[in-house]
Amino acid sequence: MRDPRMTQLADILINHSTKLQKGEVIYIETFDTPDEMMEALLEKVYEAGGVPLVSQKSWRVLRKLFMEADEATMRLVGEIELHKIKSAQAYICIEGFDNVTETSDVPADKMALYTEHWWGPVHSEWRVPKTRWVKLRWPTRSMAQQAEMSTERFEELYFKTCNLDYSRMSAAMDRLVAMMERTDRVRLVSPGTDLSFSIMGIPAIKCAGEINLPDGEVYTAPVRDSVNGVLRYNARTIYDGKVFDNVELTFRDGKIVNATSSDTKALNEILDTDDGARYVGEFAIGVNPYVTRPMLDRLFDEKIAGSIHFTPGSSYDTAFNGNRSKVHLDMVLIQSKEWGGGEMYFDDVLVRKDGRFAVPELEPLNPENLIG
């Protein structure tokens, strides 16, 4: 018998996240995800009167493809995938990872072919700006190990975070959006961090279950050349299968002029991908009450209550600051007391301290008010 939480999740994905309408095509792409979840999605697609395109992929198989594919092969695959996404009005991606570092030994030049001919044209240039899309992980044993939890407890956490009451969260986010859109200067202060930048004139976008699950962030972007200071991230991050810890970035007039980490060489190779990779394309504030600590998974970690993420690379068209890049490197700083604390200021006003909002109009976004 199928887990009823799968049916609830499928309902959120089809009717809340993508808002699928009768006659619309939806491309559903899964990676190492149970057939039962695909079946639940298909049931909801047909109930909505939609037309499904289905693709079930394996990261182990993709690693082998990436290892050996030449430019012509990757270009062909990218063209086929682009045709699929151009046929759809909506898109769902569910990624399971039996091994989160499955692609870690793929050479950088091979991953660059994937980025240039597949990921870039299909996702950055078409799916993100031109479809209604949502991405989420699937709770695997590998993810449970990353989170240092039992498989059962992690599954409970997963479904709590993904099946949250996003309508309630969305309403509480409206005041944060309004405050960010009238703010000029932002300052972040934490152990090892003192960073200032402007967000003036750039839209603030709330994410309440329409784009990612789990969800719970409000994002904008810094004015491209306004970033100055030092930012020390305290959550590990993973990019193209490689894990980075103790990342510290120094900014001067928007540009990353120094970058160190547990693998400084590999980090700087990413930041040297193109001119835009050393500038920041996103600043976001995490508010999901069920996600309280990092688990080496971007879609969870960037939603941590009391966190921010500050992202070298391309900005989103919805909060565009002029920065384009093949890179979008999400990295997280947690400012809750358990992680060293910290302050966030908007125009010299303290709006969050030690991960908790400190002004009355934003208190509905504190964890107890989103769960209760």
Side-chain angles (χ1 to χ4, degrees):
M1 179 180 295
R2 183 194 306 150
D3 189 328
R5 297 175 299 183
M6 292 186 188
T7 302
Q8 183 182 359
L9 179 57
D11 183 65
I12 290 173
L13 290 169
I14 298 302
N15 295 308
H16 175 78
S17 301
T18 61
K19 298 178 175 62
L20 190 66
Q21 302 299 306
K22 185 175 181 180
E24 289 188 321
V25 176
I26 184 165
Y27 182 20
I28 304 173
E29 188 175 32
T30 64
F31 299 76
D32 299 318
T33 300
D35 292 343
E36 290 84 355
M37 187 62 214
M38 180 66 84
E39 290 173 347
L41 284 167
L42 290 173
E43 288 176 5
K44 294 299 178 180
V45 169
Y46 289 130
E47 285 179 11
V51 180
L53 292 177
V54 171
S55 178
Q56 294 176 291
K57 295 181 171 72
S58 157
W59 282 114
R60 184 172 178 178
V61 172
L62 285 173
R63 172 190 171 276
K64 189 65 175 177
L65 175 66
F66 294 162
M67 280 287 200
E68 304 297 334
D70 58 14
E71 182 174 352
T73 300
M74 200 62 75
R75 187 188 300 274
L76 176 61
V77 175
E79 289 172 353
I80 292 169
E81 289 293 327
L82 182 60
H83 176 74
K84 290 180 185 179
I85 199 68
K86 283 185 173 181
S87 302
Q89 289 75 53
Y91 170 85
I92 293 172
C93 175
I94 305 180
E95 293 181 315
F97 289 92
D98 293 327
N99 177 0
V100 73
T101 59
E102 188 66 61
T103 61
S104 62
D105 59 349
V106 178
D109 61 328
K110 294 295 187 179
M111 289 307 300
L113 290 177
Y114 164 71
T115 300
E116 180 176 358
H117 299 294
W118 184 343
W119 176 263
V122 175
H123 296 280
S124 296
E125 298 171 20
W126 191 273
R127 185 257 299 172
V128 171
K130 298 182 180 181
T131 71
R132 301 190 307 278
W133 59 273
V134 60
K135 290 189 69 174
L136 62 157
R137 298 288 190 252
W138 187 255
T140 62
R141 292 180 179 179
S142 174
M143 285 186 68
Q145 287 176 323
Q146 289 169 228
E148 299 179 336
M149 300 173 70
S150 69
T151 303
E152 182 178 355
R153 287 292 303 279
F154 180 73
E155 287 180 355
E156 291 174 1
L157 172 65
Y158 173 86
F159 284 108
K160 279 183 179 179
T161 60
C162 289
N163 293 339
L164 186 68
D165 183 351
Y166 285 108
S167 296
R168 180 176 186 170
M169 174 183 284
S170 179
M173 286 175 166
D174 287 337
R175 292 180 179 178
L176 178 56
V177 168
M179 184 177 291
M180 290 172 71
E181 291 191 334
R182 64 176 183 262
T183 293
D184 179 5
R185 302 297 305 179
V186 177
R187 185 183 178 201
L188 303 173
V189 180
S190 287
T193 294
D194 194 340
L195 191 75
S196 297
F197 53 93
S198 173
I199 57 173
M200 178 61 71
I202 299 176
I205 308 297
K206 64 179 180 179
C207 299
E210 289 88 2
I211 294 177
N212 291 153
L213 289 182
D215 217 343
E217 66 173 278
V218 177
Y219 73 87
T220 183
V223 174
R224 189 175 185 267
D225 61 356
S226 71
V227 186
N228 284 284
V230 179
L231 175 54
R232 182 184 296 169
Y233 302 89
N234 56 10
R236 293 186 300 162
T237 193
I238 187 165
Y239 188 85
D240 283 347
K242 295 181 175 65
V243 177
F244 298 92
D245 198 3
N246 299 316
V247 174
E248 183 175 299
L249 305 180
T250 302
F251 294 86
R252 185 180 303 132
D253 297 331
K255 186 175 183 179
I256 298 168
V257 295
N258 191 57
T260 61
S261 75
S262 55
D263 192 338
T264 295
K265 180 176 182 292
L267 175 62
N268 280 279
E269 287 176 353
I270 295 168
L271 297 175
D272 289 335
T273 299
D274 51 38
D275 290 342
R278 284 192 177 266
Y279 289 84
V280 172
E282 181 186 7
F283 163 59
I285 300 169
V287 299
N288 192 301
Y290 289 113
V291 190
T292 58
R293 59 188 179 89
M295 55 187 72
L296 198 57
D297 185 278
R298 176 182 58 81
L299 291 183
F300 277 78
D301 293 354
E302 67 182 14
K303 312 305 190 309
I304 292 171
S307 75
I308 63 96
H309 53 280
F310 204 66
T311 306
S314 190
S315 60
Y316 292 115
D317 287 346
T318 47
F320 189 54
N321 71 348
N323 201 47
R324 297 287 192 192
S325 174
K326 295 175 184 176
V327 170
H328 188 84
L329 179 54
D330 286 311
M331 294 185 285
V332 174
L333 166 64
I334 309 168
Q335 293 189 302
S336 60
K337 187 175 294 185
E338 297 82 357
W339 287 84
E343 296 85 42
M344 179 165 60
Y345 298 87
F346 289 173
D347 292 329
D348 298 321
V349 175
L350 179 66
V351 295
R352 198 179 69 179
K353 181 174 176 59
D354 295 341
R356 294 184 56 82
F357 290 103
V359 291
E361 59 263 47
L362 299 184
E363 288 179 358
L365 284 171
N366 285 328
E368 67 276 12
N369 296 321
L370 291 176
I371 293 174

